[in-house]
Amino acid sequence: MTFKFFKMTIVSLFILSTYVSANDQLTIVTFQFKKKEDRDLAARFSHLDILSQNTGKAIVNSYDLKMMKEKIPHLILEAKPLKTTAFKGGPSIKGKEEEIEFPQGDEKFHTYKEVTDLLKKYARDFPTITSLSSIGTTIQGRSMWALKLTNQKNLRNEKVPGIIFMGTHHAREHLSTEVPMGLIKHLLTNYEKDPAIKDLIDSREIIIVPMINPDGAMHDIKGRRYKMWRKNMRKERNDLYGVDLNRNYGYKWGTGGSSSSRRSDVFMGPKPFSEPETIAVKDFLEENEHIKIVLSYHTFSELILYPWGHKNAGVGGKDQKVFEKMAKKMSSWTGYKPQRSSDLYIASGDTCDWVYGALKKFCFTFELTPKNYWQGGFYPGAKVIDRVIKANIKPALYLIKNAIDPYAVLKEPRTNI
Ligand code: 0X9
Ligand code: ZN
């Protein structure tokens, strides 16, 4: 009896300590920047939301806060604890795939299971213009689904130009799953109705991977409570720490704006391409030379970003002009601000630096709605989904059209946007 009680106490203490250690105080930090270098410095500790030339904010975990207080106290204007706590590490929450659901009110967002089922349905309903495959398996064993939209007659023709759209590298950026899902729906349901769309699907390969980091995204919503999780689900024994997939790509990896501490939200990983998710993207893009343009959706801030991201310089030459011209054009439809990634802050190991640096393909990062933290930040609510999808259709169609020859945009007449 005594022993039983003792055992129960030990068990409950263990459960309690797991629960406590699994929750971490989040803090919203306001920064004051005197010069651009200050922004780049702060970006080494956490992901930043730049508010103006001179101010920025970041929601940080206790580890990143400690490091900031130690290393860059002069940049911190204010640090306010948030009411919500975040998952810190420790074991991940168990749960069956079909039981995972978004928090109340946000059920319209697609869970991984809903994405999987819908993509399978599309593949069944539109067999002549779609094919569904997986580009790899995540660290927790989920398939990274890719829906290819093209007329089946193209399948053996390698000359058909390709384009890839990717969503949700970062777990908490759920709107970046919805935009590629909305794009698929728009393309498929308009194939018969809109000759321009029929023509694009018939003459291109459009590859859409709505979730690069489904493990992280599902972790972020488990228990129907948002956890502000950013990274993948890399863990050691029972200690979940995660790698920032947008710091893990292998071009100029680890050269600034990322951290070698695994507790950091911008942890670059132990080596470039250490994660199955980034390896899958790498292998896929290396194997598919016909892909000319890459778009990676993220949230938030309403920006259209292009390389370089790891250094304060543009890519130069004709390519820079293509990036600028395309970004400006797409900005005219979305209102998102076009800029070089490093103008925001320096960060190395992101998708587009590798895509352009290693493969010389054009690559954009869209930071979707909202504009700032006060408009909802990473969790703007389901009410914005339709509007954001709609705003992003024209830019997507424009890139699909130009995948045949991105340099052709240089011949377009100048616009004064
Ligand atoms: O920091 C990131 O990975 C991206 N922002 S997010 O809020 N979605 O995390 C921006 C990446 C831009 N790239 C560089 N500045 N290099
Ligand atoms: Zn992101």
Side-chain angles (χ1 to χ4, degrees):
M1 177 73 175
T2 326
F3 177 69
K4 205 171 163 197
F5 177 74
F6 173 73
K7 217 169 107 184
M8 270 170 61
T9 313
I10 294 294
V11 169
S12 43
L13 271 177
F14 176 73
I15 293 170
L16 191 69
S17 70
T18 311
Y19 177 77
V20 172
S21 74
N23 286 285
D24 186 30
Q25 178 65 53
L26 291 174
T27 304
I28 179 155
V29 179
T30 309
F31 299 97
Q32 183 176 254
F33 306 126
K34 292 214 173 78
K35 46 190 187 310
K36 166 74 167 57
E37 288 74 24
D38 290 344
R39 252 158 47 196
D40 295 339
L41 183 61
R44 284 161 51 181
F45 297 88
S46 164
H47 147 268
L48 293 180
D49 304 316
I50 303 297
L51 302 175
S52 69
Q53 288 285 91
N54 302 320
T55 48
K57 277 200 186 299
I59 295 171
V60 302
N61 64 29
S62 59
Y63 174 84
D64 288 335
L65 181 68
K66 185 171 160 276
M67 295 308 286
M68 285 172 175
K69 282 186 169 167
E70 248 170 71
K71 309 272 189 208
I72 50 167
H74 60 292
L75 300 182
I76 300 176
L77 199 63
E78 191 185 56
K80 264 194 185 157
L82 284 186
K83 283 202 185 72
T84 47
T85 53
F87 194 80
K88 174 185 176 186
S92 49
I93 303 169
K94 300 264 180 318
K96 289 204 192 98
E97 198 76 78
E98 57 278 13
E99 284 166 7
I100 303 176
E101 185 48 284
F102 274 85
Q104 205 179 3
D106 273 358
E107 294 89 344
K108 196 172 162 192
F109 283 92
H110 291 86
T111 63
Y112 174 71
K113 178 161 190 321
E114 289 162 354
V115 165
T116 306
D117 291 348
L118 199 50
L119 294 181
K120 285 182 178 167
K121 179 172 158 44
Y122 286 143
R124 277 195 308 271
D125 292 354
F126 298 90
T128 57
I129 51 167
T130 62
S131 61
L132 183 62
S133 59
S134 163
I135 64 164
T137 307
T138 64
I139 202 151
Q140 290 186 329
R142 289 185 172 90
S143 298
M144 297 166 69
W145 297 118
L147 191 71
K148 189 186 277 182
L149 280 67
T150 190
N151 197 310
Q152 293 298 329
K153 69 177 174 5
N154 294 331
L155 285 182
R156 273 164 302 278
N157 182 355
E158 280 159 22
K159 293 208 181 69
V160 175
I163 178 164
I164 185 167
F165 297 89
M166 296 185 279
T168 306
H169 269 74
H170 287 143
R172 60 194 169 196
E173 300 173 11
H174 302 287
L175 204 51
S176 73
T177 301
E178 299 309 311
V179 167
M181 287 303 283
L183 177 61
I184 294 173
K185 185 172 175 191
H186 182 86
L187 291 169
L188 292 179
T189 53
N190 286 293
Y191 181 76
E192 298 291 354
K193 291 186 227 159
D194 183 340
I197 288 188
K198 181 174 183 340
D199 183 50
L200 288 179
I201 295 181
D202 284 348
S203 60
R204 310 278 192 279
E205 267 196 16
I206 307 162
I207 297 140
I208 305 182
V209 188
M211 293 179 117
I212 295 293
N213 180 15
D215 299 351
M218 292 306 94
H219 170 69
D220 189 55
I221 65 170
K222 262 187 197 168
R224 305 197 70 184
R225 184 177 78 84
Y226 288 128
K227 297 174 201 69
M228 278 278 176
W229 188 252
R230 171 176 168 93
K231 301 183 281 181
N232 78 344
M233 295 295 279
R234 170 69 71 183
K235 63 178 183 176
E236 204 171 277
R237 276 175 242 114
N238 235 352
D239 181 27
L240 168 69
Y241 53 92
V243 171
D244 183 348
L245 297 178
N246 215 29
R247 300 289 181 277
N248 189 242
Y249 285 84
Y251 189 79
K252 306 284 175 193
W253 174 86
T255 57
S258 62
S259 169
S260 52
S261 313
R262 54 191 213 169
R263 288 273 159 239
S264 168
D265 242 359
V266 288
F267 177 44
M268 62 179 92
K271 58 178 188 195
F273 293 117
S274 57
E275 303 311 295
E277 295 86 355
T278 48
I279 293 171
V281 175
K282 174 180 186 282
D283 290 349
F284 187 79
L285 285 173
E286 283 176 351
E287 274 162 23
N288 287 275
E289 275 177 38
H290 67 297
I291 293 178
K292 300 280 185 285
I293 300 181
V294 177
L295 201 174
S296 181
Y297 294 108
H298 285 251
T299 77
F300 62 93
S301 290
E302 303 194 343
L303 305 170
I304 296 175
L305 304 173
Y306 49 86
W308 297 116
H310 72 282
K311 66 171 177 184
N312 282 317
V315 299
K318 232 173 150 185
D319 290 2
Q320 182 167 326
K321 291 205 164 64
V322 171
F323 275 122
E324 286 169 358
K325 183 118 190 206
M326 285 183 162
K328 206 166 168 186
K329 187 82 184 177
M330 294 189 287
S331 155
S332 73
W333 297 309
T334 53
Y336 300 175
K337 185 180 170 198
Q339 69 181 129
R340 199 168 69 204
S341 282
S342 51
D343 276 349
L344 190 65
Y345 47 76
I346 284 190
S348 56
D350 79 5
T351 311
C352 282
D353 269 20
W354 177 77
V355 167
Y356 182 74
L359 306 178
K360 287 284 168 292
K361 297 175 193 291
F362 290 97
C363 180
F364 294 91
T365 300
F366 273 37
E367 296 283 1
L368 300 166
T369 298
K371 232 189 179 69
N372 57 44
Y373 173 76
W374 293 277
Q375 292 169 0
F378 294 111
Y379 306 116
K383 60 185 184 302
V384 307
I385 295 176
D386 290 342
R387 174 168 63 83
V388 180
I389 291 174
K390 201 163 168 234
N392 279 279
I393 295 292
K394 263 198 174 176
L397 296 180
Y398 169 79
L399 291 181
I400 297 169
K401 179 169 163 270
N402 283 298
I404 199 157
D405 174 17
Y407 294 97
V409 298
L410 298 180
K411 290 177 217 130
E412 280 171 12
R414 278 175 73 91
T415 45
N416 290 324
I417 329 150

